[in-house]
């Protein structure tokens, strides 16, 4: 490999496409990345469900007999957006145990269990509590993120697949994290297209617009990919059908070759995706599913990034009030007659275009649902 | 002509590209449209300057000896946006005489006189006060618009080349105008691109976001063209140079053939455009000028509209507060899981794409600056 492996923290709210991303990262990217932790967030489901699902994915994607003894901490994050924190709780010390009954979750996209109703099938079979381990007692996602970045300065990429609450709280609690975090890769926003919650707002950003704006205004090494790109990267029905066909007729379905997801994981992803597929058919008339989170994962891997995406540098601000709350606005021009709200914000690198075929080659081959994977 | 002539009110803040639009409309579109009035607005310049410039354009573009005795009322509009009206002045009765010292005008684009410093040259020569006449005493643009629409129900198109204050006040004062106005064609907004004042906002809409949102939320037959399209329709330096070359070597430069602007007008447009050209070079590195207002004029002419533009139907809302104040957001999807702020707004027809060559054929041939016009 010409590129060094990156340490990766996946901050996530699983979620069906989160599950795809975690599976691809854990099982097929060992040459490119090392997952050093999974932190959880409200979003597709409430935080407690997200943690349960994240733990399940770390189980399901660890390979028995793996000499590395694959084991990754799963660390609880915030239950609520920054705007719902108690007055005066600037560092979000109450975020972990906050009342989340008023938080909007996307159960109509991911089902009550966040996994399209497929969780029970694998949890009974594979959920082994002792193999998931939590971080140090009393520490939460924001602490874990900051402490891990401090341990490996410049080496850790945080892949934020949900709202940016945990990341913003890490920066609030540990300002030095602005320097020690290597890169932040954000799945969120809609720059030249409508949002997916309403014409203005994309779901991850609308989940916590204050956190997002705070992060975009302060952190320098941010990559962003939003709906402009992620809705173009689609697995089709035929891809999903291939996921259900095992590679290993000898029944040894848990072994993979380090380049493709295992049969057991592929079958789970297939099952989870059925509910998600129905949503896409009803909402967008699409015979397939958007690969939002896996596309963001591709952006997090330097050896893939430049082959797949066209990046634009510019300041991003997030609207925090009014009818367009949650909207992301990228300054593509940066030369203005008078200073404006974007002037002092650092430049992000925003993926505004994607080589769809190149992205799908990466994803289909790793999932084992490319046509050449047919047996 | 297969299309009936439309009656046109031009609501305008001249402004250099406004001058181009007025000249093209008055001198080259007599088969397609009849200008029944010009109403004025703050914007590129203060309202009083805009009125002076609009009167000058009606003089300059009228053709001596024209058997129609071309004569068009020029009617003062609002000096301030709706948000600057006195509390309780819902119908904007004070708008005509309001203090406009705090209104932002684009003199850095159009110069102090709004005509790139070229006004004095033609005003001394051609400005004949008696030929411009104002509307009935005490009546303003909003009254004129509503009363003219009432006189010719369904036949009048209002071409709004500035902020939508006058139009919004017409609807407030005369709700029946929502039914009698034929079409409204709006130059304004930025839908999938940055604004031109800041990353969020385009100048006409930012000039009065409240008025714009009010109009988009209530009037059903609105056409909109914004920066997505108008920055792509550019006259080049070479086009401008051609404007200064007279057609009529016999010195009878005031006569035109009804298809092209007269020499006198072309020379004025050439002179006015020099300042505007400098702005484009400095601000955008462009060796030419954007044809914002003339492009909107093309959208107002049904026989041209469908050949030149790709229209999308959808609700438009305008942000009236926060960092993105003045932003226009078009719902291109209209199918959402829960109702939103766009749900009950009527559909506009928004020009999201343009056949640049077709637009330039219309404009260059009418201005007499196409290569085939070289003598």
């Amino acid at each position: 490999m010409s590129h060094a492996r990156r340490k990766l923290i996946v901050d996530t709210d699983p979620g069906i496409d989160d599950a795809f991303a975690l599976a691809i990262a854990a099982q097929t990217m060992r040459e490119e990345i090392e997952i050093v932790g999974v932190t959880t967030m409200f979003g597709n489901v409430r935080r407690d469900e997200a943690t349960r699902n994240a733990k399940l994915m770390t189980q399901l994607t660890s390979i028995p007999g793996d000499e590395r003894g694959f084991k990754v901490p799963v660390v609880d994050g915030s239950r609520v957006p920054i705007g719902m924190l108690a007055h005066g709780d600037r560092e979000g010390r109450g975020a972990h145990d906050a009342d989340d009954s008023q938080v909007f979750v996307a159960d109509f996209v991911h089902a009550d269990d966040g996994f399209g109703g497929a969780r029970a099938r694998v949890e009974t079979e594979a959920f082994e509590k002792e193999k998931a381990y939590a971080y140090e007692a009393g520490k939460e996602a924001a602490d874990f993120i900051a402490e891990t970045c401090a341990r490996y300065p410049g080496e850790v990429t945080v892949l934020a697949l949900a709202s940016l609450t945990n990341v913003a709280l890490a920066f609030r609690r540990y300002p030095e994290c602005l320097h020690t975090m290597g890169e932040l890769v954000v799945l969120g926003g809609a720059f030249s297209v409508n949002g997916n919650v309403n014409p203005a707002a994309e779901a991850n950003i609308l989940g916590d617009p204050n956190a997002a704006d705070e992060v975009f205004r302060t952190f320098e090494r941010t990559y962003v990919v939003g709906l402009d790109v992620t809705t173009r990267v689609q697995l089709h029905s035929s891809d999903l059908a291939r996921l259900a066909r095992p590679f290993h007729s000898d029944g040894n379905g848990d072994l993979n070759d380090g380049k493709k997801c295992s049969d057991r994981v592929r079958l789970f992803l297939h099952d989870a995706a059925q509910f998600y597929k129905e949503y896409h058919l009803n909402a967008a008339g699409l015979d397939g599913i958007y690969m939002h989170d896996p596309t963001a994962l591709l952006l997090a891997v330097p050896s893939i990034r430049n082959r797949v995406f066209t990046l634009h540098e510019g300041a991003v601000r997030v609207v925090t009030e009014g009818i367009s709350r949650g909207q992301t606005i990228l300054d593509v021009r940066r030369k203005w007659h008078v200073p404006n709200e974007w002037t002092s914000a650092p430049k992000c690198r925003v993926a505004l275009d994607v080589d769809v075929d190149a992205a799908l080659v990466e994803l289909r081959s790793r999932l084992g649902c490319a046509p050449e994977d047919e047996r």
Side-chain angles (χ1 to χ4, degrees), chain A residues 216-218 220 315 317 334 339-347:
Chain A
F216 291 138
R217 288 171 75 177
T218 48
E220 303 265 351
R317 292 294 310 268
R334 284 190 81 88
N340 58 51
E341 303 280 358
W342 284 255
T343 304
S344 59
K347 286 184 188 177

Side-chain angles (χ1 to χ4, degrees), chain A residues 100-279:
Chain A
D100 61 359
S101 58
Q102 299 306 309
V103 170
F104 180 81
V105 294
D107 52 1
F108 55 99
V109 182
H110 296 270
D112 289 340
D113 68 351
F115 281 161
R119 184 171 66 185
R121 259 172 273 173
V122 285
E123 207 170 44
T124 50
E125 173 196 337
F127 199 55
E128 303 160 52
K129 265 202 169 136
E130 67 278 13
K131 284 182 66 183
Y133 67 91
Y135 192 50
E136 200 178 331
K139 299 287 180 76
E140 308 150 16
D143 307 299
F144 174 80
I145 289 169
E147 292 179 3
T148 306
C149 290
R151 190 173 314 129
Y152 310 106
E155 293 181 35
V156 178
T157 294
V158 175
L159 173 61
L161 300 178
S163 293
L164 287 165
T165 319
N166 289 340
V167 176
L169 291 179
F171 293 145
R172 283 188 180 189
R173 293 182 192 175
Y174 307 87
E176 66 275 16
C177 188
L178 290 167
H179 306 289
T180 56
M181 189 182 292
E183 292 179 350
L184 173 66
V185 177
V186 176
L187 170 66
F191 296 92
S192 60
V193 300
N194 277 173
N196 53 2
V197 180
N198 62 46
E202 181 276 338
N204 278 358
I205 302 297
L206 184 60
D208 196 338
N210 303 86
D213 194 44
E214 204 167 296
V215 168
F216 291 138
R217 288 171 75 177
T218 48
F219 187 67
E220 303 265 351
R221 295 170 299 284
T222 305
Y223 291 79
V224 187
V225 60
L227 297 174
D228 314 65
V229 160
T230 64
T231 55
R232 296 175 56 204
V233 182
Q234 305 165 356
L235 282 195
H236 299 168
S237 283
S238 55
D239 297 310
L240 296 180
R242 284 192 192 95
L243 283 177
R245 293 182 205 153
F247 284 123
H248 303 276
S249 52
D250 60 0
N252 196 356
D254 276 350
L255 291 172
N256 77 351
D257 63 0
K259 300 277 186 188
K260 288 188 172 62
C261 291
S262 68
D263 285 348
R264 185 215 291 244
V265 164
R266 294 167 68 241
L267 184 61
F268 166 71
L269 294 175
H270 168 273
D271 293 351
Q274 300 309 305
F275 186 94
Y276 194 52
K277 190 176 78 165
E278 282 300 303
Y279 167 78

Side-chain angles (χ1 to χ4, degrees), chain A residues 36 39 47-48 104 111-112 129 178 182 190 193 203 251 289 308 320 334:
Chain A
V36 294
T39 52
R47 195 279 321 273
D48 291 351
F104 180 81
D112 289 340
K129 265 202 169 136
L178 290 167
V193 300
I289 61 175
V308 170
T320 56
R334 284 190 81 88

Side-chain angles (χ1 to χ4, degrees), chain A residues 310-329:
Chain A
T310 304
L311 298 174
H312 186 96
E313 283 199 349
V316 173
R317 292 294 310 268
V318 176
V319 179
T320 56
E321 59 191 328
I323 63 169
S324 59
R325 188 166 176 271
Q327 190 177 33
T328 45
I329 305 175

Side-chain angles (χ1 to χ4, degrees), chain A residues 280-353:
Chain A
H280 286 74
L281 198 59
N282 292 332
L286 178 71
D287 185 27
I289 61 175
Y290 297 140
M291 287 281 93
H292 302 296
D293 301 49
T295 303
L297 172 65
L298 297 180
L299 184 65
V301 180
S303 60
I304 297 175
R305 180 186 290 160
N306 295 322
R307 282 190 289 113
V308 170
F309 299 99
T310 304
L311 298 174
H312 186 96
E313 283 199 349
V316 173
R317 292 294 310 268
V318 176
V319 179
T320 56
E321 59 191 328
I323 63 169
S324 59
R325 188 166 176 271
Q327 190 177 33
T328 45
I329 305 175
L330 166 67
D331 180 2
V332 301
R333 179 169 138 175
R334 284 190 81 88
K335 189 176 174 184
W336 302 98
H337 187 68
V338 289
N340 58 51
E341 303 280 358
W342 284 255
T343 304
S344 59
K347 286 184 188 177
C348 297
R349 288 151 202 86
V350 181
L352 291 184
D353 200 2

